[in-house]
Amino acid sequence: MRASLYLISTLKETPSDAEVISHQLMLRAGLIRKLAAGLYSWMPLGLRVLRKVETIVREEMNRSGAQEVLMPAVQPAELWQESGRWEKYGAELLRVKDRHEREFCIGPTHEEVITDLMRNELRSYKSLPANFYQIQTKFRDERRPRFGVMRAREFIMKDAYSFHIDTASLDETYQVMHDTYHRIFTRIGLDFRAVQADSGSIGGSSSHEFHVLADSGEDLIAFSTSSAYAANIEMAEALPPVADTLPAVELSKVATPNQTSIDEVCAFLGIEANRTVKTLIVKAGKESPSPLIALVVRGDHTLNEIKAEKCLHVTSPLAMATDAEIHQHIGALPGSLGPVGLQIPVYVDRSAAALNQFTCGANENGFHLSGVNWARDCPRQVAVVDIRNVVEGDPSPDGQGQIQIKRGIEAGHIFKLGNKYSTAMNARVLDAQGKSVIMEMGCYGIGVSRVVAAAIEQNYDDKGIIWPTAIAPFTVAIATLNAHKSDAVREAAEHLYQQLLAKGVDVLLDDRNERPGVKFADLELMGIPHRLVVSERGLTEGTLEYKGRRDTDNQNIPAAQGLAFLLDKL
RNA sequence: CGGGGUAUAGCGCAGUCUGGUAGCGCGUCUGCUUUGGGAGCAGAAUGUCGGAGGUUCGAAUCCUUCUACCCCGACCA
């Protein structure tokens, strides 16, 4: 491609509404432009990257034995009513009516459509297992789209759905997809980890997320320092702690005027947060005999909402009680709450429960209790559960090493769906005995457009993007200097350009009549991995100049060896 | 959905408090010079000051209302 014929729309200034680096650089390098909140156009340069990611995904999915299909983005309400998700999915599902007032949605995912399609096509166990995928635009009406294409409303996703006669077959394909994802992210050139994950609203039994590691990631991942254990922090188990080394002491009530946060109370009383507990009051579900439920974690820990939602009668999603509700049932306000004497169900985190003496709110505004002992002071039955987030230094749940925590961007997610959708939608085949059985299903997603942003989050410097070669919009850029007044420069650059094209290299010939600084700045901002400079000065000495995007210095190479040198680099 | 903020040229912003001819930088266009790190000089174009209503002799500026967008939280593959 010749830059003089190509839309290179770089910006010197950073658009003010771009928060994260990938969003800023995608705008500045001219990859995308915003149309509305969470809706982006892909410009030529950006689309080249997107297509390269798609190509790798497609090649590896095909290699795994999956078959590509393409399903409609618009889906009839009836299918979603059949699976029960028309009601459950909530406002994130964009619902529309056609001219006949029939209800549809813009697909945020395609379990219903594929299950409907395949319950009609798959009749026999002999057709199984089968895995179908598509690369398609999805729409989720995110409450708060942000970070550019990282969390857009409309985005491109590769989604795959597998069908099986039994769970053993599902397990096999699940492992194949696990391996395939590993190949895909490795080929793209990202630093990533597969981690155990919560299966969330899609449902199902087992699930792994593939995270691109980056400081700007929205998810926290817990790793073991000495084993392969890795899990989303939502899932990572906090093991029961070792027994408290301090003995029980006498209970006392202390005045703590206007000290409501753990930090304030600790500073006021001169104690450590790990000798306090905090009591969170949440709303209970309709079936619950008590309208409120207390959740207790140690003062230096934070509540894990995913874990808490699994406690009996706690609502999902978790809903904190209002101050008015708390005052009505307990007689004190948040900041002075504690488990002693509570008349509502109490769930206590393992670490909090292990304390022999601790400080907590007295359920009387402006007072705390010190020296509290569970057995002596909270004789009512309390349930000891795991409801906190793990922290760095906790023992790894697999018993090997300690936990360390990093941030990740969720780029892929694989689920064992089991028979959730096939049961709801009656997707059956005949087995070897001629008996009709419900199929087992798996589903496997990759956020293709998100991968583009994630790659930038992981690969940039103060000059701009640094693409992994496999997904760079162009692999090589040839920049001519002063070409307008040098036939030799034009000819040498053109010759090299043609040779690289003939070798199938994605090469950008920067033949624009721009000053050198402009070309260098643009090529660096756009993140092209390899740059060759053809100049009159160099040609006089018989050299070209090469610089890799991550290199700090240029190197001169003999002009005659330019092609071979470059091919060796690729 | 709760809280906060913003809306003025393609982009980044000033002007709004205290009403009186709409500005700056970058970018864009033309010409000349220039060409190894985002050039210089000269000239030029570009705005329903987010929309609608109101107050006023006069509104970017004050009032009412609507919309869009952004941030924090909640929520979420």
Side-chain angles (χ1 to χ4, degrees), chain A residues 269-283:
Chain A
L269 298 177
I271 56 176
E272 295 296 319
N274 63 10
R275 282 286 154 193
T276 67
V277 303
K278 57 185 162 191
T279 305
L280 307 168
I281 308 297
V282 300
K283 298 184 184 186

Side-chain angles (χ1 to χ4, degrees), chain A residues 285-296:
Chain A
K286 290 196 179 72
E287 311 289 307
S288 170
S290 166
L292 300 179
I293 292 173
L295 304 173
V296 179

Side-chain angles (χ1 to χ4, degrees), chain A residues 147-218:
Chain A
F147 305 150
V149 299
M150 188 87 81
R151 181 169 292 281
R153 292 194 292 176
E154 187 175 303
F155 59 100
I156 296 178
M157 179 167 167
K158 186 285 299 177
D159 49 325
Y161 307 90
S162 66
F163 295 85
H164 310 271
I165 191 70
D166 56 24
T167 55
S169 168
L170 170 59
D171 291 348
E172 263 176 49
T173 297
Y174 186 86
Q175 190 56 46
V176 169
M177 293 314 297
H178 195 287
D179 296 346
T180 297
Y181 275 36
H182 206 276
R183 294 184 64 97
I184 287 171
F185 290 114
T186 301
R187 271 188 67 184
I188 291 172
L190 297 177
D191 183 14
F192 70 97
R193 293 287 188 286
V195 308
Q196 295 172 30
D198 185 64
S199 48
S201 63
I202 292 196
S205 56
S206 178
S207 155
H208 284 83
E209 290 167 350
F210 286 74
H211 281 265
V212 175
L213 301 182
D215 292 338
S216 59
E218 292 187 85

Side-chain angles (χ1 to χ4, degrees), chain A residues 531-544:
Chain A
R531 183 185 81 191
L532 280 172
V533 175
V534 182
S535 68
E536 195 146 42
R537 192 178 80 190
L539 290 180
T540 312
E541 298 164 6
T543 62
L544 301 170

Side-chain angles (χ1 to χ4, degrees), chain A residues 13-14 51 65 140 163 188 199 213 217 230-231 233 248 314 323 339 363 375 385 492 547:
Chain A
E13 291 176 281
T14 302
R51 291 288 184 245
R140 292 184 190 174
F163 295 85
I188 291 172
S199 48
L213 301 182
I233 199 163
V314 172
D323 285 5
N363 293 326
V385 289
K547 185 168 183 290

Side-chain angles (χ1 to χ4, degrees), chain A residues 226-420:
Chain A
S226 56
S227 76
Y229 178 85
N232 192 304
I233 199 163
E234 293 174 346
M235 286 287 289
E237 184 183 5
L239 294 178
V242 293
D244 196 349
T245 52
L246 297 185
V249 294
E250 197 174 329
L251 179 69
S252 63
K253 182 170 167 183
V254 291
T256 48
N258 300 318
Q259 313 296 313
T260 55
S261 72
I262 292 286
D263 286 348
E264 287 167 358
V265 170
C266 287
F268 186 78
L269 298 177
I271 56 176
E272 295 296 319
N274 63 10
R275 282 286 154 193
T276 67
V277 303
K278 57 185 162 191
T279 305
L280 307 168
I281 308 297
V282 300
K283 298 184 184 186
K286 290 196 179 72
E287 311 289 307
S288 170
S290 166
L292 300 179
I293 292 173
L295 304 173
V296 179
V297 297
R298 217 169 69 188
D300 57 329
H301 288 151
T302 58
L303 181 71
N304 180 314
E305 298 192 8
I306 302 285
K307 293 177 182 175
E309 285 164 10
K310 289 172 181 156
C311 296
L312 183 64
H313 295 314
V314 172
T315 61
S316 179
L318 191 82
M320 301 300 288
T322 62
D323 285 5
E325 287 170 322
I326 293 170
H327 188 263
Q328 182 193 341
H329 288 90
I330 300 176
L333 289 173
S336 300
L337 301 178
V340 180
L342 280 186
Q343 296 303 308
I344 58 177
V346 179
Y347 289 99
V348 182
D349 183 71
R350 289 166 172 172
S351 294
L355 298 172
N356 280 333
Q357 48 161 280
F358 59 88
T359 297
C360 65
N363 293 326
E364 183 179 341
N365 287 345
F367 290 91
H368 279 74
L369 299 176
S370 148
V372 183
N373 178 272
W374 286 107
R376 183 190 66 208
D377 303 321
C378 298
R380 266 187 82 243
Q381 192 80 20
V382 298
V384 176
V385 289
D386 172 24
I387 51 170
R388 72 169 172 98
N389 287 314
V390 293
V391 295
E392 296 223 344
D394 278 347
S396 175
D398 67 353
Q400 300 176 53
Q402 295 185 324
I403 280 181
Q404 84 189 112
I405 292 175
K406 289 188 182 178
R407 289 191 163 269
I409 299 165
E410 183 188 351
H413 201 158
I414 59 178
F415 300 86
K416 289 181 191 171
L417 289 177
N419 56 26
K420 175 175 170 166

Side-chain angles (χ1 to χ4, degrees), chain A residues 7 9-11 15 17-18 20-36 38-50 146-152 154 156 449-450 452-453 456 465 467:
Chain A
L7 181 65
S9 271
T10 53
L11 304 173
D17 55 0
V20 297
I21 196 75
S22 62
H23 189 195
Q24 293 172 3
L25 289 175
M26 289 181 82
L27 290 168
R28 284 191 56 210
L31 271 57
I32 56 169
R33 290 290 181 256
K34 184 170 79 171
L35 177 64
L39 303 177
Y40 290 87
S41 298
W42 289 81
M43 301 221 286
L45 195 72
L47 186 60
R48 289 183 72 98
V49 180
L50 194 65
R146 55 184 145 171
F147 305 150
V149 299
M150 188 87 81
R151 181 169 292 281
E154 187 175 303
I156 296 178
S449 42
R450 181 181 281 184
V452 175
I456 296 172
I465 301 168
W467 290 114

